[in-house]
Amino acid sequence: TIGFFRPYCNAGGGGERVLWESVRTVQQRYPGLRCCVYTGDAAAGEEILRSAQRAFGIGEFAEEVHFVFLRQRRWVEAARWPVFTMVGQSLGSLILGLEAILQLNPEVYIDTMGYAFTIPFFRLLGGCRTAAYVHYPTISTDMLSALHRTGPAFNNRQFIARSKVLTEGKALYYRLFARLYGWAGAYSQCTMVNSSWTHGHIMQLWDSEPWLVYPPCAVDPLWG
């Protein structure tokens, strides 16, 4: 059994295209393997698959896709953590991961949504082989450098930007989180990234050499 962790698998974005193309490819290359998707979406499994086929123009799935429905997705929503958002969502992902592994402990676990802290959880607690496809790192060196620029930013409130003490405090928070993020990511036994930008950051933060796997794109209409 291969478990794909995607709590928002019905969102219809580029990350979901990667998920469903991955599932189809696994089914085609390794028939007989059971593919399961962990999701927090309320829609029925058949409806989710039809929506993916309509949105991305992909064909039929070779075998049945199984779903593990999660009820604790609210713990990873940014709105629940107005401050210390990265830490809060990471802790929330552990709650969601615990719910997931109690329902299904797969042989192979693949995080496809950037919840890196679930990776050691499944590897150490579940004894799973682990992998990750990273679209965008939770924290980056760009975020650290941006703190020391003058003026507020999307991740730096005005009262923090104006205070050297608070800025240094937030920089310490970022550095500590980056270490924890790197520790969690190191438990991925096969790491894939979607771009050279992400490759550079993950290589630095996770101290590993990830595979650069560009996301699939629908090019057939261009030749029509």
Side-chain angles (χ1 to χ4, degrees), residues 179-202:
R179 285 184 176 273
L180 289 173
Y181 181 64
W183 170 83
Y187 280 92
S188 172
Q189 296 170 292
C190 177
T191 303
M192 297 159 281
V193 296
N194 71 338
S195 67
S196 56
W197 184 89
T198 303
H199 181 277
H201 286 282
I202 292 298

Side-chain angles (χ1 to χ4, degrees), residues 24 27-28 53 58-63:
R24 289 187 72 245
Q27 289 183 339
Q28 291 167 0
Q53 290 172 321
I58 59 179
E60 295 292 328
F61 291 89
E63 300 178 25

Side-chain angles (χ1 to χ4, degrees), residues 9 28 48 57-59 67 69 76 78 82 108 122 136 141 144 159 176 179-180 187 192 204 212 214 221 223:
C9 75
Q28 291 167 0
I48 292 174
I58 59 179
F67 290 87
F69 292 95
V76 298
V108 179
F122 273 80
Y136 195 89
T141 53
L144 284 167
F159 73 91
L176 290 174
R179 285 184 176 273
L180 289 173
Y187 280 92
M192 297 159 281
Q204 182 178 3
L212 178 54
Y214 292 111
W223 304 101

Side-chain angles (χ1 to χ4, degrees), residues 17 21 56-57 215-224:
R17 176 186 285 276
E21 291 288 3
F56 308 125
C217 299
V219 297
D220 290 343
L222 299 177
W223 304 101

Side-chain angles (χ1 to χ4, degrees), residues 5 11 15 26 28 30 42 50 66-67 85 87-88 95 111-112 118 127 129 138 153 167 171 190 194 202 206:
F5 195 72
V26 168
Q28 291 167 0
Y30 307 100
R50 286 195 298 268
H66 302 268
F67 290 87
T85 306
V87 169
I95 298 173
D111 170 43
T112 70
T118 63
R129 296 182 180 181
T138 304
T167 297
C190 177
N194 71 338
I202 292 298
W206 290 13

Side-chain angles (χ1 to χ4, degrees), residues 131-201:
Y133 187 89
V134 184
H135 296 270
Y136 195 89
T138 304
I139 191 169
S140 68
T141 53
D142 293 348
M143 293 171 64
L144 284 167
S145 61
L147 283 176
H148 295 284
R149 299 171 190 164
T150 57
F154 74 95
N155 64 337
N156 199 30
R157 298 181 182 181
Q158 188 172 19
F159 73 91
I160 295 177
R162 291 178 175 177
S163 170
K164 184 176 181 180
V165 173
L166 292 178
T167 297
E168 291 300 325
K170 189 166 186 176
L172 177 61
Y173 160 60
Y174 274 14
R175 286 193 293 269
L176 290 174
F177 183 84
R179 285 184 176 273
L180 289 173
Y181 181 64
W183 170 83
Y187 280 92
S188 172
Q189 296 170 292
C190 177
T191 303
M192 297 159 281
V193 296
N194 71 338
S195 67
S196 56
W197 184 89
T198 303
H199 181 277
H201 286 282

